[in-house]
Structures are given as structure tokens and as C-alpha cells.
Amino acid sequence: MTSSHTFTAAEQAYYAQLDEDVTAGRVPTIARGTRRDGSRISDAELDAILRGHPSLGHDHATGAGRSPRRQVRLPEGTNAALDTYVAAHNTTASAVIREALEAYLANA
């Protein structure tokens, strides 16, 4: 991460602690593949974690536009199967549901 901003001692301490907390697994991460072995992460990895999900709005995953949100209730068995699939394929439930719905609607 390159920047012309000079961090104060308090900011440096805050980000150092945040880096340690993320690396140790005390902060839930958004990015997949983040190390949890106690090693320090790079500034680029920390930026990716803190940036969060891009918007899926008008310009699909570009950060522009608004992502409409829907909620759905699932039977316990379906939810458990989804959790198992997500863990086995290193993905998210949202991604699986989005892909499945897009495929369903394309074939409807």
C-alpha cells in the first residue's frame, strides 16, 4: 500500500493491532484464503479484507450501483447441505445461491 499520508503513532498502533487481530482470526474476514497461522499479512491482503464485497449493482461487481438484497428461509436439511457445500468448495452461501438462481432463471 503506497500513500503520501504519514500515519500518526496512534494510527500505526491501531493498524498494527488490527493486522494482528485479523491474522490471529479474531476479526471475521471477507476474503478467502487468509492465513490463520500467526504469520503477518501484507498490506495488500489487509486492504482486500477491509475493502469488503463489491456492489453487485448496475455494473456487476465493479463497486458501482446498488446490490438489491433478498432474504429466503431454507429447510434445515437444505441449509445444512448448503453449509457442507460451501465448506467443501471454499465459497460463500451467497455466491452459491446467486449462481443457482441465475442458472434456474436462465433455464425457466
Side-chain angles (χ1 to χ4, degrees), residues 27-99:
V27 174
T29 59
I30 296 169
R32 286 175 275 177
T34 304
R35 296 183 304 275
R36 301 226 180 214
D37 61 0
S39 61
R40 296 186 67 82
I41 62 174
S42 70
D43 287 345
E45 290 172 307
L46 184 59
D47 285 346
I49 292 166
L50 297 177
R51 183 172 38 252
H53 289 293
S55 169
L56 297 174
H58 304 296
D59 296 321
H60 191 62
T62 63
R66 181 180 153 316
S67 298
R69 182 180 191 139
R70 299 284 177 126
Q71 289 183 317
V72 61
R73 293 187 180 270
L74 301 174
E76 287 184 28
T78 303
N79 191 57
L82 178 60
D83 288 342
T84 300
Y85 183 90
V86 164
H89 292 89
N90 194 29
T91 188
T92 65
S94 293
V96 172
I97 293 168
R98 241 186 334 269
E99 291 171 15

